[in-house]
Amino acid sequence: MAFREWHFHTYFHADDPVELAKAIALRNALVDNLAVKSSFVAVPLHHFVRNNTPEPQVRTKDTHGLNLVPVGPHPIGSFETWAPVEHFPEVYSWFLANRNGLSVFIHPLTREEVRDHTERAAWMGSPLVLDVSQLSTQLAEPASQYPFFNLGYAAK
């Protein structure tokens, strides 16, 4: 099986101002990287208005795109970053160098959400326990994101 797209979930305690500031800084650095069209593509969730347009979302708060409460299987505050397989090594290296003590959960995006979040997953930093009971064992299609990049599942 070829893994075409990945998620990097950065975790933080939203009630800890130091961790929250680290998460905001990390998200902002990823957005800045996109703006200068640097060496890799990694998109924080909610950066674009929709998945099918390159129009940036207007951020009205510093915490835009951050989950300040548990969402889905994630037990604490987090934010999600999408990366296509074409840029996985650079994104992985970037998170290793820049995560600033925060834990990062990495998993592929396939039709098998439970396996993606368990057997196929990796951690940077301290792992957390996820609640995978709400995930699907088999989706109709992989959860492709940002097709306008023509990368990952959308690659021509």
Side-chain angles (χ1 to χ4, degrees):
M1 165 178 287
F3 301 122
R4 305 291 299 148
E5 299 181 5
W6 295 81
H7 275 171
F8 289 72
H9 296 271
T10 302
Y11 291 98
F12 57 92
H13 292 92
D15 58 352
D16 180 333
V18 172
E19 285 193 14
L20 182 59
K22 288 179 182 182
I24 290 169
L26 202 61
R27 188 269 333 267
N28 288 349
L30 288 163
V31 169
D32 291 347
N33 177 70
L34 279 173
V36 299
K37 297 181 177 29
S38 182
S39 61
F40 63 84
V41 171
V43 183
L45 186 65
H46 304 301
H47 176 66
F48 294 109
V49 175
R50 291 175 296 283
N51 288 351
N52 61 356
T53 177
E55 181 185 340
Q57 182 73 270
V58 175
R59 286 188 276 168
T60 57
K61 296 191 286 188
D62 286 345
T63 57
H64 178 84
L66 303 184
N67 299 316
L68 300 178
V69 297
V71 172
H74 310 290
I76 63 173
S78 65
F79 77 89
E80 172 183 299
T81 303
W82 171 82
V85 69
E86 295 89 343
H87 296 271
F88 181 85
E90 295 87 356
V91 177
Y92 187 89
S93 296
W94 187 89
F95 271 99
L96 279 177
N98 293 286
R99 67 183 182 86
N100 200 9
L102 298 176
S103 290
V104 178
F105 174 66
I106 305 134
H107 68 85
L109 294 173
T110 74
R111 295 174 52 216
E112 300 174 307
E113 285 184 317
V114 173
R115 286 187 72 198
D116 292 347
H117 285 76
T118 55
E119 298 172 32
R120 299 173 175 152
W123 287 91
M124 293 179 196
S126 299
L128 290 94
V129 177
L130 304 183
D131 176 9
V132 298
S133 65
Q134 53 196 298
L135 299 178
S136 296
T137 55
Q138 191 79 357
L139 299 169
E141 295 291 327
S144 182
Q145 296 177 317
Y146 309 115
F148 59 85
F149 280 111
N150 293 315
L151 297 169
Y153 291 114
K156 293 189 175 22

